[in-house]
Amino acid sequence: AQKVTQAQTEISVVEKEDVTLDCVYETRDTTYYLFWYKQPPSGELVFLIRRNSFDEQNEISGRYSWNFQKSTSSFNFTITASQVVDSAVYFCALGDNNDMRFGAGTRLTVKP
Amino acid sequence: EADIYQTPRYLVIGTGKKITLECSQTMGHDKMYWYQQDPGMELHLIHYSYGVNSTEKGDLSSESTVSRIRTEHFPLTLESARPSHTSQYLCASSVGVWNSPLHFGNGTRLTVT
């Protein structure tokens, strides 16, 4: 069955710390897509990144980086030198031939 | 910039009332979705559509209905609102099916008294 697990419910860090948000997924499909979304306090969900199951290259975009490892079924998200504006709920999602399923989200609080 | 619009932004309504939450997108996306979310919590898929005249039920036990008469419009109707319907409702659209990122609206925060 398709499943996305974000084991960290809440994380609190101090500004400039690095933080990693974990995402573990389950699917029977060999072709699938993984996503990260950000939901700031304003409430709108914003798409951050998509990876397909055949592309295990890590990606870096500014202070954000993503580590996709099929061997451990994980797609972790790291924020380097966190800022207060990074405070939000972050959702990992899995899309395969059957469904698009979201994890329960990780609430990140970055304190000044 | 918002290409997917939800109205109203906030709604307070009494038990038993019929309500329709509006969602429109200007991107020409075939796929549209409704999610229910308590603020900052897990998203639950309640309805989705592959295109005009297509509607499907999601995971959450549906006490609501949707219609898709036009590509750009995907309204959600609650025939008889109950306090358990108090939540945030998010509309989204995408180009592809499950391989495309979703574009979300700002949501409708519904309170049923």
Side-chain angles (χ1 to χ4, degrees):
Chain A
Q2 185 195 47
K3 188 178 179 182
V4 178
T5 302
Q6 294 181 254
Q8 304 149 308
T9 305
E10 295 191 30
I11 300 175
S12 181
V13 299
V14 176
E15 205 169 21
K16 297 184 183 177
E17 285 186 27
D18 298 347
V19 57
T20 295
L21 310 181
D22 298 333
C23 174
V24 175
Y25 63 91
E26 295 177 29
T27 177
R28 291 179 183 157
D29 290 345
T30 55
T31 301
Y32 53 88
Y33 292 80
L34 296 163
F35 305 82
W36 275 95
Y37 292 84
K38 175 182 180 179
Q39 187 175 39
S42 60
E44 183 176 351
L45 272 143
V46 177
F47 163 70
L48 295 177
I49 190 171
R50 177 184 71 168
R51 304 297 281 177
N52 71 55
S53 52
F54 299 106
D55 184 0
E56 284 194 75
Q57 282 191 346
N58 293 331
E59 181 154 342
I60 298 174
S61 176
R63 295 184 297 106
Y64 295 171
S65 62
W66 291 268
N67 182 7
F68 175 29
Q69 292 194 336
K70 288 180 75 171
S71 60
T72 55
S73 297
S74 65
F75 186 44
N76 296 337
F77 174 28
T78 297
I79 301 174
T80 303
S82 60
Q83 299 176 2
V84 173
V85 294
D86 295 327
S87 295
V89 181
Y90 291 86
F91 291 92
C92 180
L94 166 68
D96 61 17
N97 290 326
N98 297 312
D99 204 347
M100 168 80 78
R101 191 166 295 274
F102 284 79
T106 297
R107 182 179 299 276
L108 173 65
T109 302
V110 181
K111 298 178 181 177
Chain B
E1 67 286 357
D3 296 315
I4 181 163
Y5 306 94
Q6 290 186 244
T7 57
R9 186 76 175 92
Y10 300 94
L11 179 62
V12 180
I13 198 165
T15 297
K17 298 292 185 182
K18 177 179 179 179
I19 56 172
T20 296
L21 308 184
E22 300 289 346
C23 177
S24 295
Q25 50 98 2
T26 59
M27 296 172 282
H29 288 168
D30 283 330
K31 314 304 181 293
M32 295 190 75
Y33 315 81
W34 276 103
Y35 286 88
Q36 183 176 341
Q37 183 197 29
D38 291 330
M41 304 297 285
E42 189 170 359
L43 281 78
H44 298 282
L45 181 65
I46 46 178
H47 291 285
Y48 58 101
S49 167
Y50 291 112
V52 172
N53 295 326
S54 155
T55 61
E56 305 286 342
K57 292 187 177 183
D59 290 337
L60 202 60
S61 175
S62 180
E63 297 172 343
S64 58
T65 59
V66 291
S67 63
R68 191 84 185 279
I69 298 173
R70 304 195 318 264
T71 298
E72 62 272 21
H73 194 213
F74 191 41
L76 174 76
T77 298
L78 287 171
E79 292 294 333
S80 179
R82 299 206 309 249
S84 61
H85 293 139
T86 295
S87 189
Q88 177 164 248
Y89 293 83
L90 295 170
C91 181
S93 70
S94 69
V95 173
V97 186
W98 307 115
N99 60 354
S100 298
L102 304 185
H103 298 259
F104 284 88
N106 283 328
T108 293
R109 191 154 295 181
L110 173 65
T111 302
V112 183
T113 61

